[in-house]
Amino acid sequence: MNHRTYDPTKSYLRVATATPEVAIGDSTANEQAIIALFSEAVKKHVSLVTFPELCITGYSLGDTVRQTALLDSALNSLTRLAEITKNISTAMVVGLPMTHNDRLYNVAALLADGQVKGFVTKSNLPNYGEFYEQRWYQSFTGTSTHDFMGLTVPFGQNLLFKVANSLIGIEICEDMWVADQPSRKLALAGAIVIVNPSASPELVGKSNYRTELVKMTSAQQRTAYVYSGADWTESTTDIVMSGHALIAENGSLVAERAPFTKNSRLLIADIDTNHLAHDRMQDTTATKTTEITKVDTLVARTQTDCLRTAPKSYFLPNAENETARTARLERIFDIQAHGLARRIKAAKSQHIVLGLSGGLDSTLALLVACRAAQVLNITNKDFVQALTMPGPASSNRTQNNATQLAGALGVTSRTIPITDIANTERQALQHQGEQDITYENVQARARTSLLFNYANKVGGIVLGTGDLSELVLGWCTFNGDHMSHYNVNASVPKTLIRDVVRYAAGLPENIKAKNLLQDILDTPISPELTTAGKGGISQQTESLVGPYELNDFFLWHVLRYGDEPAKISYIATETFADTYTKSEIDGWLAKFYERFARNQFKRSVMPDGPKVGSVSVSPRGDWRMPSDMSSALWMSVFAVQ
């Protein structure tokens, strides 16, 4: 395959926070500490490094902040700091007190290209509790200019800086904690990254609150948020700083320097600016403002790798946090069950009817049906009716598990063999018995026909069992297992199905079925439509369509963020390096795209089903695509030489 090499600079912006040791009031010493960390950031190909609030002088100056000698020294240090950025593809944000038109301001300066590119003033000056900034500083609204180093430099509010092809906005400490955050306006004007040089005192419980605030701010604004807190070497007269630093992206914490960390003073992370831009493109409710001054820099992205690691599954809860994992699985299960319960009420249905194969998907659907019965305060017996419909390729293992599971859960079950039905239809078609697509689909549609007709007979609805992964790949028979009255698994991918079943196996109401559920979890995934012989399982799905852990990884990147094939291949190759070769990954990715494009017609008429996560292919919700869509959009990257 002629797969081009992916350039990480197309998507990833390397940012950092720096936490220098503070010499209060000694700008020269602080300057040297800043230079040392800046130099380290340059070596590590950081495009933007953010230092704490008033880092050139220290934050806890008290009334000495008005001393002319201190203010002059700070400006001299700022000049030298600006000069060291010349011919360097790294920008920095540093803080200092400075006067403008005979007023004193708390300012953050962005330095790049050997210059000060702009001065951003702190908007909100806290004057409560341990804070009394209004004693010294003034607020500044609007945008002005300030002459510095022989240049006319933008000064004030509403400034954005183009660094490494990304718009950067700045707010300072308290600005994040107020209701009307300056960053809101900056984000609406296009800022993809907000940096916050801060000097926030540490209190019991405050670091957790601060972390959640940074994450939520980044989520609301669809930005990356880079928060750099002042070191504990600030004055301890009445407060203690902690050097807490945070980097968040769209609601998720990417990196953290914990309070009072002793060693590394540089926190580095790669921000996926493409993902942020994708989410903003989807948000048509945000109104952009034009009252912004944009300042260019010559800084370019220089990293040749990506520090960021991707999880092997975006759908599974964090395995390291059992409480959060269990809570998430319970919520998924409840969404499915309550969605089904509501549909039962609306349909005035007397029964839930489903085909129980002994596989993962139908097992979860049955468990959901039983939970829906609980929601409706109805006993499982008679209300939930399962049909087991063995065919010529059905294995003893799956059929035994299906019938025993129905008994263990106390639902009504019937076994209706379909071999004779399928043979009769094939004879009518003058089919010669070869195990081709007709052979397989006659069986799938025979089962679906029985389910719908049986539901008519008992006054029930047919519960679908197919999952999100199968819908994306088109791994379902059109008007066969593809069809139902309601499908509770429609937005649950195969890798997550397994975890939800495992969770449900541990519930008290399923104690009798626990061992059966474990065996079902251990059973190879198969449609069982071609003959295995001797009761075994043939036609293992993952050997035909690809490993589900890869397919679910692919579908997340394609549907959630619209990532290009080269990027997905790059990330997958890094993530699954211990399992698959790059060639194997590219092969399965090409097959994924081909199947995804070719099978939209099935998704266009898929039944209703509850959305449980951020990815869905419902034609009435998250995914609208013409059934005639060409796969060339994605497949050109896999062209044969």
Side-chain angles (χ1 to χ4, degrees):
M1 289 191 181
N2 184 24
H3 186 84
R4 64 178 180 265
T5 302
Y6 184 72
D7 179 5
T9 63
K10 291 182 63 177
S11 184
Y12 299 106
L13 174 70
R14 187 159 296 174
V15 299
T17 68
T19 311
E21 188 171 342
V22 181
I24 302 166
D26 188 344
S27 296
T28 302
N30 291 328
E31 172 192 335
Q32 293 306 309
I34 291 169
I35 290 173
L37 289 176
F38 177 76
S39 299
E40 184 181 348
V42 171
K43 292 177 183 177
K44 294 182 177 179
H45 302 284
V46 172
S47 296
L48 175 67
V49 56
T50 302
F51 290 83
E53 181 179 11
L54 298 177
C55 60
I56 291 179
T57 59
Y59 173 86
S60 49
L61 295 166
D63 289 344
T64 58
V65 73
R66 298 196 190 98
Q67 294 293 307
T68 300
L70 180 135
L71 295 171
D72 288 347
S73 178
L75 290 177
N76 289 334
S77 288
L78 181 66
T79 300
R80 291 188 290 270
L81 289 171
E83 288 172 345
I84 70 167
T85 65
K86 188 175 182 179
N87 299 322
I88 299 291
S89 272
T90 303
M92 70 169 125
V93 174
V94 294
L96 74 159
M98 65 176 288
T99 58
H100 175 75
N101 294 336
D102 301 322
R103 297 291 186 270
L104 185 61
Y105 297 96
N106 181 337
V107 167
L110 189 137
L111 316 180
D113 311 333
Q115 304 170 356
V116 176
K117 291 294 187 176
F119 296 104
V120 176
T121 54
K122 189 171 184 176
S123 298
N124 298 278
L125 302 172
N127 222 56
Y128 54 84
E130 65 268 30
F131 302 107
Y132 36 96
E133 290 188 24
Q134 292 177 29
R135 177 181 175 92
W136 311 295
Y137 305 108
Q138 294 198 23
S139 295
F140 188 96
T141 57
T143 304
S144 181
T145 58
H146 186 91
D147 292 334
F148 188 75
M149 294 177 66
L151 299 172
T152 300
V153 181
F155 180 96
Q157 297 292 302
N158 307 328
L159 300 178
L160 287 180
F161 303 89
K162 192 172 185 179
V163 176
N165 206 36
S166 294
L167 287 177
I168 311 298
I170 302 172
E171 63 183 6
I172 304 173
C173 198
E174 181 76 5
D175 292 341
M176 180 183 69
W177 299 77
V178 300
D180 188 18
Q181 298 169 316
S183 55
R184 293 174 186 262
K185 186 174 184 180
L186 298 175
L188 287 172
I192 206 78
V193 178
I194 301 295
V195 302
N196 186 325
S198 180
S200 177
E202 200 58 63
L203 301 170
V204 174
K206 190 173 183 180
S207 62
N208 291 336
Y209 185 91
R210 186 187 296 121
T211 300
E212 293 305 313
L213 184 58
V214 166
K215 289 164 58 179
M216 186 53 65
T217 300
S218 73
Q220 288 178 330
Q221 299 172 4
R222 290 181 170 83
T223 62
Y225 201 96
V226 181
Y227 177 94
S228 181
D231 190 54
W232 66 269
T233 49
E234 281 281 359
S235 174
T236 61
T237 302
D238 291 304
I239 56 175
V240 175
M241 307 290 184
S242 70
H244 195 193
L246 301 155
I247 300 175
E249 179 187 306
N250 201 13
S252 297
L253 190 63
V254 177
E256 178 178 15
R257 182 182 190 267
F260 305 112
T261 294
K262 293 181 179 180
N263 298 319
S264 177
R265 293 183 173 274
L266 208 60
L267 179 70
I268 303 175
D270 288 345
I271 298 301
D272 196 325
T273 55
N274 282 7
H275 283 184
L276 291 167
H278 178 271
D279 276 9
R280 289 186 171 198
M281 182 171 54
Q282 287 186 310
D283 181 9
T284 58
T285 61
T287 303
K288 291 200 171 184
T289 176
T290 57
E291 299 174 14
I292 288 290
T293 298
K294 295 182 180 179
V295 183
D296 285 333
T297 73
L298 299 177
V299 174
R301 305 182 192 188
T302 60
Q303 72 265 29
T304 57
D305 59 354
C306 181
L307 299 177
R308 197 157 172 171
T309 58
K312 287 190 173 181
S313 175
Y314 294 94
F315 297 100
L316 300 181
N318 187 348
E320 297 176 359
N321 187 335
E322 187 62 32
T323 300
R325 179 186 179 90
T326 300
R328 182 172 176 180
L329 292 169
E330 181 179 10
R331 183 55 49 85
I332 292 168
F333 198 53
D334 274 340
I335 290 172
Q336 291 178 283
H338 283 79
L340 177 57
R342 182 65 184 90
R343 179 52 56 94
I344 290 292
K345 290 172 68 71
K348 296 181 173 57
S349 178
Q350 298 175 350
H351 301 284
I352 297 172
V353 177
L354 77 156
L356 189 60
S357 68
L360 270 177
D361 291 351
S362 64
T363 294
L364 179 56
L366 177 60
L367 292 167
V368 170
C370 292
R371 173 60 69 89
Q374 288 183 19
V375 172
L376 296 170
N377 199 27
I378 301 172
T379 58
N380 291 348
K381 184 68 174 176
D382 191 46
F383 177 64
V384 180
Q385 302 206 10
L387 300 187
T388 301
M389 297 167 283
S394 298
S395 67
N396 295 334
R397 180 178 183 179
T398 56
Q399 297 312 294
N400 290 338
N401 279 342
T403 55
Q404 290 181 47
L405 181 63
L409 295 177
V411 305
T412 299
S413 67
R414 287 192 59 184
T415 298
I416 305 177
I418 65 161
T419 300
D420 290 344
I421 298 173
N423 286 339
T424 298
E425 183 163 342
R426 284 197 296 271
Q427 290 169 9
L429 296 172
Q430 297 183 337
H431 185 269
Q432 301 304 309
E434 60 272 22
Q435 296 192 14
D436 57 8
I437 189 67
T438 303
Y439 180 91
E440 294 183 32
N441 286 350
V442 162
Q443 296 174 63
R445 293 192 178 105
R447 290 184 174 116
T448 301
S449 177
L450 282 169
L451 286 170
F452 275 100
N453 292 333
Y454 186 84
N456 288 155
K457 176 185 174 184
V458 300
I461 65 169
V462 175
L463 185 61
T465 62
D467 60 59
L468 173 64
S469 307
E470 293 177 342
L471 287 166
V472 168
L473 295 168
W475 190 248
C476 51
T477 299
F478 189 79
N479 244 10
D481 55 314
H482 154 263
M483 192 48 61
S484 64
H485 288 116
Y486 192 74
N487 184 2
V488 291
N489 293 338
S491 67
V492 186
K494 186 73 77 177
T495 50
L496 185 55
I497 291 269
R498 188 178 297 279
D499 252 39
V500 181
V501 170
R502 186 175 290 110
Y503 157 78
L507 296 175
E509 61 263 35
N510 298 326
I511 189 67
K512 293 181 180 179
K514 187 172 183 178
N515 291 336
L516 284 166
L517 292 172
Q518 186 56 57
D519 191 65
I520 290 169
L521 285 165
D522 294 337
T523 303
I525 299 169
S526 171
E528 295 193 318
L529 293 172
T530 57
T531 306
K534 298 183 180 179
I537 295 174
S538 68
Q539 203 182 11
Q540 294 191 19
T541 299
E542 290 181 288
S543 66
L544 301 172
V545 300
Y548 275 116
E549 64 176 351
L550 284 182
N551 283 319
D552 288 356
F553 189 91
F554 299 155
L555 76 85
W556 172 270
H557 281 277
V558 172
L559 297 176
R560 177 65 182 85
Y561 287 116
D563 285 326
E564 62 175 296
K567 180 178 178 180
I568 298 173
S569 172
Y570 173 81
I571 299 171
T573 300
E574 293 292 319
T575 304
F576 294 96
D578 59 342
T579 313
Y580 308 100
T581 66
K582 185 179 187 301
S583 178
E584 288 174 320
I585 287 171
D586 286 352
W588 289 125
L589 181 57
K591 184 176 284 290
F592 172 91
Y593 280 121
E594 191 274 329
R595 294 194 65 95
F596 177 62
R598 180 160 49 90
N599 287 286
Q600 174 62 26
F601 74 98
K602 297 180 182 178
R603 297 186 291 271
S604 293
V605 290
M606 61 183 273
D608 293 347
K611 180 180 177 180
V612 303
S614 57
V615 175
S616 167
V617 289
S618 168
R620 298 163 296 277
D622 293 69
W623 191 254
R624 296 166 176 82
M625 185 173 93
S627 297
D628 308 308
M629 184 74 186
S630 169
S631 62
L633 170 68
W634 303 289
M635 294 299 289
S636 59
V637 73
F638 301 107
V640 178
Q641 291 181 331

